[in-house]
Amino acid sequence: MIDQHTIDRILDAANIVEVVSDFVTLRRRGANYVGLCPFHDEKTPSFSVSPARGICKCFSCGKGGNSVHFVMEHEQVSFYEALKYLARKYNIEIQEKELTEEEKQRKTDRESMLIVNDFAQKFFTTNLLENVEGRSIGLGYFRERGFGEDIIKKFGLGYSPEKRDALAQEAIRKGYKKEYLLKTGLCLESQQGSLYDRYKSRVIFPIHSLSGKVIAFGGRILKKDEKAAKYVNSPESEVYHKSDVLYGIYHAKQAIVKNDFCYLVEGYTDVLSMHQAGIENVVASSGTSLTPGQIRLIHRFTNNITVLYDGDAAGIKASLRGIDLILQEGMNIKVVLLPDGDDPDSFSKKQSASDFTAYIKAHETDFIRFKTNLLLEGAGNDPIKRATLIGDIVRSIAIIPDNILRSVYVQDCARLLDVDEKMLMREVNKIRRDKREQETTPTGNKYRSPRDNQATGTKQPGSNIPTPATQPDAPHTEPPIPNEAQPTDAGNNITDIPLDQYEVPPTPEEPAPAEPPRVELPTASKEDKIIEKCERTIARYILRYGFARINRSDEEGNISECDVLDYITQELEADEVKINHPIYARFFEDAHSISRDAATHYGEIKLENSLPRLREALQQELDEINKAQEPDEKLIKIAEERFQDACQQVRYEAQISYIGHTFVNSPDIELSTQAIDLVSDRHQLSKIHTKYQVVERDIDRLNELIPRAVFELKDAIIMRRIEALRGTMRTMQSSGHFDDMIFVLEEISHYMKVRKELAQYIGDRIVPAKSGK
């Protein structure tokens, strides 16, 4: 963990313009900077960077944040990894918590192994590009495959010499420990205790982690040797877990996020060739079956995968299990079958990036449909094979987590397989029900099913923990099995049935549970929307001006000063008004724990950072004055006073907006995102507009704006109460309770008088009702 003081130093040092400029070309527009958003494709810049507030925001896709959040989103790293990135950029030493001896040893091993891997990668690349053997054999191979020098350097490709211990000798000579050469798998140890290289006489493909560190290697032999494996890969180690790594993910992650889908191929050269063709959102499983860890790695960046297959039917069928894992993860998967004789490597070399993409779009097929058609070809008219095929397809559909998507696939496959849709749906539901019960029932104990417990509200045998019927929040109760979708009846579309109405057909041994009641979700009324808008306005003022001083008068008319936050708090508490929106309520509640002393300190830091710019502006003004033969002392004094006012303004505006600064820099992404949205300005007044007239800013009108915002919220709450009472009146009228209506009318009249008083502050016109004739 990084201590809070170090985090504050990093946040204070990070210049949002400098950080973003490392990845985006920015140009100045008024007080801010704009550029093309790095998170989606666009032709007109909508990505705005505010150096004054230290934030960036795309007003098209909505992404943005402070320097830390930008690095997190762009580089797809954690909050603490982003902090470390910025600390390195601004030469700030990271202060972390004290580690245990075991943690220190593990960290030392890991760091040492990464250092050794980095050395090995440079050794292999140097041998490829500068060694005679490497250039003639290794570089010749890569050039024959069509890889340019830019791709070779981008991926750090290399060559391991034919000499048995070339790497081992060089590593020992430079002081690297034998222990880490063995732990990384770069070297092996003979029975005599000498080291020899694992990858001798092979071209090298470094494997990078998500953050770009070399964690493993793949080596391909070039000579014909029936005894030697074609590819040799690093063994599992402290830094390399094969099941959680994809080749090319480091170089592909930004392109995957930008395009919102990922190509999945088989080998190293497939990835390299597609990069050579200009297609970067591609990763490889390195010839192994997909694992859940690899799929989750892709899922961090996109929900959409396109798998590229060559024409090898046997290879396709062998990989189907891995594709089922993608479905289970809830991802959208398409399949493309390349022309006979082509794999992604060879096919991409024949196409430009645009032609390749066009071919993919024209030939991609939904995976379930692809699998069904593929297996149908092998089954023919054999009933046994067709039954096996149907079972295979049903198992694939059953693992899809989305109810509606499953029902759509069932309909589609019933048509393709020419079988009864209800039968398919029953089989799908049976598989899902059995799987759920296996997961929730301990082996060897005859527990009742969770559905039984849910229906009866009884305790499980041998347990004192109440079920949901008696204790809804009990942490140890078995979860009820979600309802499954039933097959459609003729003329009835299953997608028209609410999700909470789906149910599994009962088996003869198990009585059908009672049908759950249909729940109508309430829709937000017009008054609710107005209230939320008013709460948003108050939250915006708290974040922007929470520590600004404004006037407040008491019941006797005495005027005193208080903070914006204190004013809003006192006004809301006086009428027992609470903020209902969960995020805005958190802003309001957490703001009270933010120190005003910290705000004062923040103002001093902002002033210190702004002094060079302010002094430069003062010097330019003084230089202009001193150009005259007799400089006007009065003008010099005015310039110096203007400098002092500017310093005071910078300090003051930083102090009053410190609440917003705190939430913008929160590690809670949801809070931070909402805070950024509240403190950001999409539009700015042009220089022409401000040059010829004085534009009054919100900060200069707080004595007017803050009370108005509070009164508008109170007015909206009262209006909602009035509408509720009017609804009660209509109910009474329809049911004949005329005598009680007088009390409701009196309450409505009271609230209308309160609204009239509030209207004096918020400027609403009260239009009297027309008298009846």
Side-chain angles (χ1 to χ4, degrees):
M1 294 289 290
I2 304 175
D3 66 88
Q4 189 59 46
H5 176 69
T6 304
I7 293 176
D8 292 339
R9 287 183 59 209
I10 294 170
L11 294 175
D12 291 339
N15 182 309
I16 187 68
V17 176
E18 293 175 354
V19 173
V20 175
S21 294
D22 288 343
F23 306 94
V24 180
T25 301
L26 298 175
R27 59 185 180 86
R28 196 176 191 93
R29 180 183 289 174
N32 295 341
Y33 293 80
V34 296
L36 294 174
C37 179
F39 306 120
H40 77 285
D41 286 322
E42 64 177 5
K43 296 181 179 178
T44 303
S46 60
F47 190 75
S48 178
V49 179
S50 170
R53 293 196 174 97
I55 61 174
C56 59
K57 182 176 176 65
C58 176
F59 290 99
S60 181
C61 70
K63 292 185 177 179
N66 63 1
S67 297
V68 177
H69 298 131
F70 175 83
V71 173
M72 288 173 64
E73 182 67 32
H74 195 277
E75 297 299 291
Q76 294 296 305
V77 296
S78 69
F79 180 76
Y80 290 103
E81 287 172 333
L83 284 172
K84 291 178 180 178
Y85 171 92
L86 293 172
R88 289 193 298 270
K89 180 177 176 66
Y90 290 98
N91 298 315
I92 296 174
E93 183 181 356
I94 294 287
Q95 298 292 331
E96 299 185 79
K97 70 169 187 177
E98 184 69 24
L99 302 177
T100 65
E101 290 302 319
E102 183 180 351
E103 289 173 329
K104 287 178 181 177
Q105 182 60 45
R106 193 183 306 120
K107 183 177 180 183
T108 301
D109 285 351
R110 182 178 178 83
E111 290 177 347
S112 298
M113 292 168 72
L114 290 173
I115 291 170
V116 170
N117 278 341
D118 184 64
F119 158 76
Q121 185 268 314
K122 292 173 180 174
F123 173 83
F124 293 139
T125 300
T126 300
N127 270 279
L128 176 74
L129 299 176
E130 300 178 11
N131 183 281
V132 175
E133 178 188 344
R135 290 180 63 85
S136 62
I137 300 176
L139 193 58
Y141 167 78
F142 286 129
R143 285 177 174 168
E144 183 182 340
R145 298 298 298 260
F147 303 138
E149 192 168 328
D150 57 334
I151 294 296
I152 291 172
K153 290 182 177 179
K154 179 178 182 178
F155 285 85
L157 306 181
Y159 176 75
S160 181
E162 189 172 4
K163 185 180 177 183
R164 187 172 184 269
D165 57 355
L167 172 65
Q169 284 190 5
E170 183 67 11
I172 296 297
R173 188 180 69 82
K174 291 199 170 181
Y176 294 98
K177 292 184 178 180
K178 174 182 176 180
E179 172 190 0
Y180 297 116
L181 291 170
L182 293 172
K183 280 187 174 182
T184 55
L186 286 165
C187 297
L188 301 169
E189 189 173 18
S190 68
Q191 292 181 349
Q192 291 74 32
S194 61
L195 295 180
Y196 61 95
D197 299 346
R198 179 184 293 269
Y199 302 105
K200 72 182 188 70
S201 300
R202 293 176 182 268
V203 288
I204 302 297
F205 301 89
I207 299 171
H208 295 85
S209 69
L210 198 58
S211 59
K213 293 181 172 63
V214 178
I215 55 175
F217 298 91
R220 186 192 191 281
I221 196 167
L222 300 181
K223 294 181 178 180
K224 290 185 178 180
D225 187 346
E226 295 181 359
K227 295 182 180 180
K230 184 178 180 180
Y231 280 96
V232 171
N233 297 310
S234 295
E236 293 274 322
S237 70
E238 182 71 27
V239 297
Y240 177 55
H241 304 286
K242 189 175 184 179
S243 61
D244 295 328
V245 174
L246 287 163
Y247 182 73
I249 188 67
Y250 169 67
H251 300 94
K253 59 184 180 180
Q254 292 178 25
I256 293 172
V257 172
K258 194 170 186 178
N259 292 281
D260 194 25
F261 77 95
C262 175
Y263 290 118
L264 180 62
V265 296
E266 185 178 0
Y268 304 133
T269 55
D270 295 331
V271 172
L272 299 178
S273 293
M274 290 181 69
H275 272 262
Q276 185 79 54
I279 301 159
E280 298 185 341
N281 52 322
V282 55
V283 297
S285 58
S286 304
T288 62
S289 298
L290 274 175
T291 67
Q294 291 172 329
I295 295 166
R296 284 192 291 270
L297 187 59
I298 298 175
H299 208 175
R300 289 179 58 180
F301 305 102
T302 183
N303 199 43
N304 306 297
I305 297 181
T306 299
V307 182
L308 303 183
Y309 284 122
D310 56 27
D312 178 15
I316 295 172
K317 290 180 180 179
S319 65
L320 291 181
R321 177 188 167 278
I323 307 302
D324 279 351
L325 291 176
I326 301 177
L327 289 173
Q328 191 170 1
E329 191 71 15
M331 301 178 72
N332 304 318
I333 178 168
K334 302 284 187 181
V335 175
V336 176
L337 194 60
L338 298 176
D340 288 343
D342 273 325
D343 56 21
D345 178 13
S346 60
F347 186 69
S348 61
K349 290 173 182 174
K350 303 174 184 177
Q351 312 284 330
S352 65
S354 58
D355 291 341
F356 184 93
T357 304
Y359 180 90
I360 298 299
K361 292 296 181 186
H363 293 82
E364 64 184 7
T365 308
D366 179 85
F367 170 69
I368 294 292
R369 188 177 290 110
F370 172 82
K371 182 175 181 178
T372 303
N373 290 327
L374 177 70
L375 297 181
L376 271 175
E377 291 177 6
N381 295 320
D382 187 327
I384 303 299
K385 289 183 178 179
R386 284 181 64 84
T388 303
L389 154 68
I390 292 170
D392 197 346
I393 298 298
V394 164
R395 283 189 291 273
S396 290
I397 296 174
I399 62 177
I400 298 172
D402 184 83
N403 277 341
I404 294 177
L405 191 57
R406 279 201 312 275
S407 68
V408 171
Y409 277 133
V410 167
Q411 294 173 13
D412 200 17
C413 289
R415 178 180 54 79
L416 289 172
L417 297 169
D418 193 23
V419 295
D420 181 55
E421 181 186 328
K422 292 182 180 180
M423 182 274 291
L424 282 184
M425 184 61 79
R426 277 195 297 272
E427 290 301 311
V428 167
N429 287 341
K430 182 177 181 298
I431 291 172
R432 289 182 61 80
R433 184 183 61 201
D434 291 346
K435 185 174 185 297
R436 295 276 185 171
E437 290 181 351
Q438 287 174 7
E439 291 174 352
T440 56
T441 304
T443 304
N445 290 301
K446 296 182 179 180
Y447 278 41
R448 298 182 66 182
S449 73
R451 182 182 286 120
D452 291 338
N453 293 329
Q454 184 184 21
T456 62
T458 58
K459 296 181 181 180
Q460 299 172 2
S463 170
N464 292 321
I465 303 172
T467 60
T470 57
Q471 186 177 330
D473 298 325
H476 295 91
T477 53
E478 291 182 345
I481 299 175
N483 297 329
E484 307 289 356
Q486 283 205 76
T488 60
D489 294 322
N492 181 28
N493 190 336
I494 198 165
T495 58
D496 294 332
I497 304 173
L499 294 182
D500 60 358
Q501 299 298 304
Y502 291 156
E503 186 52 73
V504 182
T507 62
E509 295 77 23
E510 182 182 13
E515 181 180 349
R518 185 182 297 272
V519 178
E520 296 292 341
L521 295 177
T523 56
S525 66
K526 176 183 175 182
E527 290 73 27
D528 289 334
K529 292 177 180 177
I530 294 174
I531 289 172
E532 182 177 330
K533 184 178 179 181
C534 293
E535 290 179 346
R536 177 181 174 85
T537 300
I538 286 177
R540 177 175 173 270
Y541 286 146
I542 289 174
L543 264 61
R544 287 192 168 198
Y545 314 113
F547 289 149
R549 305 291 288 178
I550 61 172
N551 295 331
R552 187 173 194 274
S553 59
D554 57 22
E555 295 178 356
E556 299 177 357
N558 299 317
I559 297 177
S560 59
E561 274 195 348
C562 66
D563 291 344
V564 166
L565 178 61
D566 287 341
Y567 177 92
I568 293 173
T569 302
Q570 293 167 19
E571 284 292 330
L572 296 186
E573 287 179 349
D575 291 310
E576 299 182 354
V577 174
K578 293 188 179 298
I579 305 293
N580 289 320
H581 189 283
I583 296 296
Y584 304 153
R586 283 189 65 185
F587 286 143
F588 180 66
E589 293 165 6
D590 294 353
H592 292 88
S593 63
I594 296 174
S595 165
R596 285 164 174 76
D597 290 338
T600 302
H601 177 65
Y602 177 64
E604 297 300 329
I605 292 174
K606 290 292 286 186
L607 175 59
E608 184 179 344
N609 294 338
S610 301
L611 275 177
R613 172 178 57 84
L614 296 174
R615 284 176 177 146
E616 181 181 357
L618 171 63
Q619 190 59 51
Q620 289 176 355
E621 193 171 355
L622 293 176
D623 290 344
E624 288 296 322
I625 296 172
N626 290 326
K627 285 181 181 179
Q629 292 183 351
E630 295 182 7
D632 191 331
E633 292 297 328
K634 186 181 292 186
L635 292 178
I636 293 175
K637 185 177 181 181
I638 291 173
E640 290 174 345
E641 289 175 352
R642 192 180 291 119
F643 168 75
Q644 293 297 330
D645 290 343
C647 291
Q648 181 62 30
Q649 188 72 12
V650 167
R651 182 192 292 112
Y652 176 69
E653 291 187 5
Q655 290 173 356
I656 67 175
S657 64
Y658 182 68
I659 294 175
H661 167 80
T662 302
F663 285 116
V664 163
N665 293 302
S666 169
D668 186 322
I669 298 300
E670 186 178 19
L671 275 185
S672 175
T673 302
Q674 287 285 350
I676 290 161
D677 190 42
L678 290 171
V679 303
S680 299
D681 291 317
R682 178 163 191 169
H683 303 290
Q684 286 187 308
L685 293 174
S686 67
K687 293 180 180 178
I688 297 296
H689 191 82
T690 55
K691 184 176 180 180
Y692 298 106
Q693 60 180 319
V694 176
V695 179
E696 198 171 16
R697 303 179 302 162
D698 283 357
I699 195 174
D700 302 319
R701 301 171 54 215
L702 294 180
N703 282 315
E704 167 197 346
L705 295 176
I706 303 304
R708 181 186 180 92
V710 174
F711 294 143
E712 284 178 342
L713 174 60
K714 292 181 179 181
D715 180 70
I717 293 172
I718 291 171
M719 195 62 227
R720 181 172 64 182
R721 178 60 179 158
I722 291 172
E723 288 301 314
L725 290 170
R726 286 172 176 168
T728 303
M729 285 275 295
R730 289 190 290 270
T731 302
M732 289 179 171
Q733 188 174 8
S734 62
S735 59
H737 293 82
F738 300 107
D739 294 340
D740 295 330
M741 290 174 61
I742 186 66
F743 301 108
V744 179
L745 282 170
E746 288 176 356
E747 192 171 355
I748 291 175
S749 176
H750 165 71
Y751 283 123
M752 292 299 292
K753 289 178 182 177
V754 176
R755 282 202 77 208
K756 189 173 182 179
E757 292 176 9
L758 288 174
Q760 298 175 6
Y761 295 97
I762 60 181
D764 285 350
R765 291 178 300 161
I766 303 298
V767 181
K770 294 182 180 179
S771 58
K773 292 184 179 179

